[in-house]
Amino acid sequence: MKDKLIVSPAPHLHDKTTIPNVMWSVVIALIPALIASVYYWGFRALYLTLLGAAAAVITEALIQKLRKVPIAVADGSAFLTGMLLSYNIHAGAPWWLPVMGAVFAIAVGKQVFGGLGNNPVNPALLGRAFLLASWPTLMTGGWVKTKLGSINGITNLNMIHENLQGIAPKAYDLVTSATPLKVAQTLRDSTFVNSLTSEAGINIDISNKIMNSLLDMGTLKTLFWGNIGGCIGEVSVFALLLGAAYLLWKNIIEWRIPFFYIATVFVLSFLFGGIKGSGYSLSMPFFHIFAGGLMLGAFFMATDYTTSPLSKNGRIIYAIGCGLLTVVIRLVGGYPEGVSYSILFMNVMTPLIDKMTMPKAFGRLKK
Amino acid sequence: MRLRTFPGGVHPHDHKHLSASAKIENLPLPDRVVIPISQHIGSPSTPVVKVGDAVLTGQVIAEASGFISIPQHASISGKVTKIDIFPHPCGGKQTAIEITGDGLDEWIELIDDENYAALPVSEMKERVAAAGICGMGGAGFPTYVKLSPPPDKPIDTVILNGVECEPYLTSDYRLMMEHAEEIIKGLKLIIKIVNAKTGIIGIEANKPDAIALMEKLLAKEDSLSVVGLKLRYPQGAEKQLIYAATRRKVPSGGLPMAIGVVVQNVGTAAVVYEAIRFRKPLVERIITVTGSIVKNPRNLCARIGTPYTVLVDFCGGTTSPIGKVISGGPMMGFALPDLAAPMSKGSSGLVLMNDVEARLLEEKNCLHCARCVDVCPMNLLPSVIAAAVKYKNLDMAVDAGLNDCMKCGSCAYVCPAQIRLVQWIDTGKVRYTELQRAKK
Ligand code: SF4
Ligand code: SF4
């Protein structure tokens, strides 16, 4: 027998899950979405993603060197942040945009607070907010069409073309540009809708027509597969669900946050999502959960460990808050998309939620 | 059968295949045994022999001292050769009595009381107390105390714990397969003693043949039944087992008797039977000697006080150098500095690991990932308790559940940052007790 045996406190077994294992698993889970975006936009999507990830890794390594702490970029957390940041940028953006965003995300969003586990908000989302504030036009304009030709997902364009061409140029512009959420947002703007009708000169409800085509099965299918304008990582609901299923199966994320987030958006957009005059439609909630960054946000960003609540009830409150804010921003606010800001806001609320939702020990009576 | 379980918990690989099919073997008499005077929760027993005394197997060598205490008996016949400080199977060192054997194994007189089942309850309890029985699942609470609930706490259900949720261990499983009748007889006696109505044997689904066997034997018993349980650690913990089997919750800080339940390990039931019928003192038990590096993992029936080295040698030694020695199971057992300690009444297993299996991972920053929260069977906030203890905020630790923690280790098992949560919690408990004492 050797002279020195290991003496350590129980438990003497450990689950395989370690920090690198968690982080790299999330990276793996994000790969289907990357494949989808390369399919829709070509290799530029991959190139921008890798730039963001590389910038994040290098920034983290440099700062860790300066802080004289162990360089821990191999744990995958910086790579993941960079990747998620790039996922919030569209494929038509200049190359330096993801780089700037990633540097900011790591430096200001993470390392300033002491690194992994200490950041108050999701670094990737903070990076995105920084880009949106600094280069709003680059971030929200210049959406590129997918290779398959769609931009806002409306599939029966021809029908609309026939109806609208020459009658209402504004309506025509609307259905040939922007992202699906932008279309939905514009359609809720009554001044715009009134001007459409007056421009058309005839009494047809053009806005309703566009809304209906936005909500038809064809468009919803297109949204599901991801053949639409949008950010690199958010377009394909299908690819994101594949990755999410992997994370749920590997027990890396827990179901509560994504479920309550998406469910809240679903219910609220069913109740309040229509435009004036159009009744309830079951397609509306599907449109809202498939369009924009909800899937990416609900499964991959809101579930960020450090910035979401510890207790199970806390996670439910947090997720409902995210959903509520997302719908409010989308339907009432000035932005077509509300996922990032709602998650950032709820990140800030997390310590408070944690305090309010201390779980009751098994067998302890209610006070 | 619909399997039941409790909320929370983890699924470690059970590693039971190593020793599950190894029938119980009697370990040849050891040359010497070292019997700790403290093998249970409660006050240590008082030695009543001197160095040089000759003792018979089963003779009392240390008496119970106080209400929560039990006597210790010589487990082999021979001479008392030392009363000194020896390594203890729970880590550390404690007083123990060393007996050097004469190889004859001469017993004190036993009886065979065929009418044992008709004995008055007080006599039964006395025999259990005199036999020095404490819980054999590891915690080691004196059994006669558990069998004496106060009159204002009526008991209706006795649960036998055949869960054996600790990975690697198979001693309870073998016992159930080979000594099922004794277990059932013991269960009936316990029911009689505490005046309960029903008896339940809880067994996890990874022991289907034990479930089938018990079901067969209990088929004609109206008041006894088997409950199959989903695989999940720590289902063998009293509160979790009670919840899984009966859906009753033991109040925080309370005992099972508060909700009419008494839990005993299956091994304890078997020795209760022997104690009542034969007045046989607890001088041996079944222990699993296992681990990937043990040449022939086995389930041994060995005398209390047998040095661990003897057990390992009997199993053919190890195939590669030992990295860690665990007395008990790997989730709650104690790592020992060497094999010098003897087995005690609570030693259900000895697990040997190699360097790779035993390697320590570096503690990282908490990720706030809540995995520990999700698995905690007591519904606590392990990461918060640990952080509070670290930053010396005991009030916060108590709020987050310090005193409800049963140190099952589920939280530390899943923590991706390898934070030694149980160790922090333990430190917190020690500090808390000191503080309470200082206040008085
Ligand atoms: S906090 Fe205590 S009871 Fe909860 S999992 Fe950890 S060790 Fe077990
Ligand atoms: S499992 Fe570990 S890293 Fe995760 S919250 Fe608990 S203590 Fe922190």
Side-chain angles (χ1 to χ4, degrees):
Chain A
M1 195 159 69
K2 290 188 317 171
D3 10 286
K4 259 248 142 345
L5 294 185
I6 297 172
V7 180
S8 60
H12 307 287
L13 287 182
H14 201 279
D15 183 34
K16 289 182 296 295
T17 316
T18 55
I19 294 175
N21 183 311
V22 167
M23 298 296 163
W24 291 114
S25 298
V26 182
V27 169
I28 290 172
L30 283 168
I31 287 178
L34 189 58
I35 294 173
S37 76
V38 170
Y39 174 71
Y40 291 123
W41 289 299
F43 281 97
R44 188 161 175 88
L46 178 65
Y47 166 69
L48 291 179
T49 304
L50 290 180
L51 270 181
V57 169
I58 293 169
T59 310
E60 173 135 310
L62 278 177
I63 294 178
Q64 284 174 335
K65 200 163 169 175
L66 287 176
R67 284 178 56 204
K68 300 201 170 58
V69 294
I71 295 187
V73 289
D75 69 13
S77 65
F79 189 98
L80 177 60
T81 298
M83 190 172 185
L84 281 172
L85 183 271
S86 304
Y87 272 25
N88 283 297
I89 290 172
H90 63 84
W95 68 269
W96 51 266
L97 206 60
V99 174
M100 295 297 283
V103 171
F104 187 88
I106 295 291
V108 181
K110 183 176 175 192
Q111 288 295 337
V112 161
F113 300 102
L116 187 59
N118 294 326
N119 44 297
V121 297
N122 187 327
L125 288 177
L126 193 70
R128 178 185 183 271
F130 161 74
L131 294 180
L132 202 58
S134 310
W135 296 279
T137 36
L138 286 177
M139 286 297 285
T140 55
W143 302 105
V144 268
K145 269 192 185 155
T146 67
K147 277 189 180 162
L148 304 179
S150 179
I151 184 146
N152 56 30
I154 296 178
T155 41
N156 51 359
L157 263 182
N158 288 339
M159 187 274 283
I160 296 183
H161 279 207
E162 281 162 23
N163 271 296
L164 300 181
Q165 219 154 10
I167 317 177
K170 267 190 185 169
Y172 183 72
D173 286 351
L174 182 62
V175 293
T176 54
S177 68
T179 58
L181 282 173
K182 183 77 192 163
V183 176
Q185 190 203 14
T186 315
L187 287 173
R188 278 194 322 272
D189 178 351
S190 48
T191 344
F192 178 86
V193 170
N194 290 342
S195 75
L196 269 187
T197 321
S198 61
E199 224 179 288
I202 45 172
N203 197 14
I204 52 166
D205 196 352
I206 302 173
S207 52
N208 262 339
K209 198 161 232 152
I210 302 176
M211 188 56 114
N212 286 340
S213 57
L214 203 57
L215 299 180
D216 73 15
M217 255 331 260
T219 305
L220 290 181
K221 257 193 218 153
T222 310
L223 289 174
F224 181 75
W225 295 112
N227 184 22
I228 47 165
C231 296
I232 291 175
E234 74 181 21
V235 290
S236 176
V237 173
F238 171 72
L240 288 166
L241 286 178
L242 271 187
Y246 173 73
L247 291 185
L248 286 167
W249 172 68
K250 279 204 64 175
N251 232 336
I252 285 180
I253 57 173
E254 197 244 9
W255 62 276
R256 285 183 178 80
I257 292 175
F259 175 82
F260 282 98
Y261 191 170
I262 295 170
T264 305
V265 172
F266 191 94
V267 171
L268 292 180
S269 54
F270 174 70
L271 296 177
F272 305 110
I275 54 173
K276 234 201 288 153
S278 72
Y280 295 116
S281 153
L282 201 56
S283 302
M284 198 68 212
F286 280 104
F287 172 78
H288 269 286
I289 65 169
F290 286 178
L294 182 62
M295 291 291 163
L296 181 66
F299 286 106
F300 297 91
M301 314 249 223
T303 52
D304 172 41
Y305 290 153
T306 310
T307 56
S308 58
L310 272 177
S311 74
K312 291 170 190 161
N313 289 338
R315 276 173 250 164
I316 297 176
I317 296 175
Y318 164 90
I320 294 178
C322 285
L324 192 78
L325 289 173
T326 300
V327 174
V328 168
I329 297 174
R330 279 187 183 182
L331 298 189
V332 187
Y335 288 107
E337 171 65 302
V339 172
S340 304
Y341 283 123
S342 55
I343 298 175
L344 276 176
F345 184 80
M346 292 312 290
N347 285 168
V348 180
M349 303 302 288
T350 290
L352 189 67
I353 298 176
D354 266 342
K355 232 182 227 130
M356 282 163 31
T357 54
M358 275 266 193
K360 186 168 61 79
F362 179 88
R364 215 181 255 190
L365 300 173
K366 281 197 187 80
K367 276 192 202 138
Chain B
M1 174 186 284
R2 210 179 58 102
L3 298 173
R4 306 197 209 166
T5 195
F6 65 98
V10 293
H11 289 266
H13 186 299
D14 72 12
H15 298 277
K16 297 205 193 247
H17 61 281
L18 293 169
S19 57
S21 56
K23 286 222 170 78
I24 300 169
E25 285 174 77
N26 283 318
L27 181 82
L29 276 195
D31 301 334
R32 70 184 254 281
V33 291
V34 175
I35 299 173
I37 58 165
S38 174
Q39 302 188 34
H40 53 275
I41 298 173
S43 32
S45 329
T46 319
V48 291
V49 288
K50 317 182 292 297
V51 173
D53 284 1
V55 291
L56 298 173
T57 309
Q59 180 181 329
V60 173
I61 54 172
E63 273 173 356
S65 61
F67 177 60
I68 302 187
S69 182
I70 46 171
Q72 312 293 348
H73 305 80
S75 59
I76 56 173
S77 62
K79 238 193 195 103
V80 176
T81 40
K82 242 186 215 168
I83 300 180
D84 206 346
I85 306 287
F86 285 93
H88 192 272
C90 295
K93 295 187 172 183
Q94 281 183 9
T95 305
I97 301 169
E98 182 192 68
I99 299 168
T100 303
D102 52 17
L104 302 172
D105 197 25
E106 281 183 282
W107 278 72
I108 53 161
E109 207 181 328
L110 297 181
I111 48 161
D112 182 358
D113 204 339
E114 282 184 26
N115 280 329
Y116 68 95
L119 287 172
V121 165
S122 59
E123 171 69 16
M124 289 184 179
K125 277 200 230 175
E126 247 158 58
R127 289 187 185 183
V128 170
I133 299 173
C134 59
M136 303 193 55
F141 195 77
T143 300
Y144 78 92
V145 181
K146 260 189 173 181
L147 295 185
S148 313
D152 62 329
K153 297 259 157 52
I155 302 296
D156 57 59
T157 308
V158 173
I159 301 180
L160 280 199
N161 186 347
V163 172
E164 200 162 52
C165 60
E166 274 274 6
Y168 287 98
L169 306 190
T170 54
S171 52
D172 284 348
Y173 165 66
R174 289 313 319 176
L175 186 80
M176 287 190 280
M177 294 306 291
E178 298 175 43
H179 296 278
E181 314 229 331
E182 284 97 320
I183 293 172
I184 293 170
K185 285 178 184 154
L187 172 58
K188 288 181 180 164
L189 289 170
I190 295 169
I191 289 179
K192 180 150 186 214
I193 295 175
V194 299
N195 196 19
K197 285 185 236 16
T198 52
I200 295 172
I201 307 181
I203 306 175
E204 277 195 345
N206 60 349
K207 304 179 246 316
D209 39 359
I211 296 179
L213 176 66
M214 286 294 178
E215 277 191 327
K216 201 178 95 199
L217 294 176
L218 297 184
K220 288 205 190 68
E221 309 275 353
D222 291 337
S223 56
L224 307 184
S225 60
V226 179
V227 170
L229 302 163
K230 263 188 213 153
L231 270 198
R232 188 174 288 180
Y233 175 88
Q235 195 139 236
E238 230 169 38
K239 292 182 179 181
Q240 277 59 40
L241 175 58
I242 293 172
Y243 182 79
T246 66
R247 288 283 171 270
R248 295 186 205 172
K249 282 188 184 176
V250 179
S252 166
L255 291 172
M257 58 177 72
I259 51 166
V261 179
V262 162
V263 180
Q264 294 289 353
N265 177 268
V266 283
T268 313
V271 296
V272 161
Y273 161 70
E274 289 184 328
I276 292 175
R277 174 160 179 181
F278 305 105
R279 279 208 190 139
K280 188 178 163 194
L282 178 54
V283 296
E284 61 189 7
R285 69 157 294 145
I286 297 160
I287 176 170
T288 306
V289 182
T290 183
S292 61
I293 57 170
V294 174
K295 198 169 260 159
N296 305 304
R298 284 183 158 136
N299 293 297
L300 301 174
C301 179
R303 297 291 164 92
I304 306 297
T306 306
Y308 279 150
T309 38
V310 175
L311 299 176
V312 175
D313 287 345
F314 186 74
C315 293
T318 59
T319 51
S320 59
I322 305 175
K324 194 186 245 188
V325 167
I326 302 160
S327 170
M331 294 300 285
M332 288 187 81
F334 301 89
L336 301 179
D338 48 45
L339 281 169
M343 59 179 275
S344 71
K345 294 176 180 177
S347 300
S348 45
L350 181 66
V351 183
L352 305 187
M353 289 182 167
N354 64 25
D355 285 337
V356 181
E357 291 166 317
R359 76 179 183 280
L360 287 179
L361 299 165
E362 201 194 325
E363 205 170 32
K364 304 264 177 47
N365 269 357
C366 170
L367 284 183
H368 206 261
C369 73
R371 293 169 73 86
C372 54
V373 178
D374 289 347
V375 299
C376 178
M378 295 304 294
N379 205 18
L380 314 178
L381 294 174
S383 63
V384 177
I385 306 177
V389 172
K390 203 170 184 173
Y391 298 111
K392 309 218 156 66
N393 184 348
L394 268 190
D395 290 339
M396 189 171 167
V398 170
D399 271 351
L402 180 71
N403 294 321
D404 284 293
C405 171
M406 57 168 156
K407 299 197 273 182
C408 70
S410 302
C411 51
Y413 172 80
V414 295
C415 176
Q418 281 82 237
I419 296 174
R420 315 225 194 291
L421 291 158
V422 184
Q423 199 179 2
W424 286 112
I425 292 170
D426 216 13
T427 311
K429 286 196 172 194
V430 171
R431 276 196 207 141
Y432 182 79
T433 330
E434 279 166 7
L435 212 72
Q436 292 311 94
R437 217 173 277 150
K439 269 186 198 156
K440 270 176 203 159

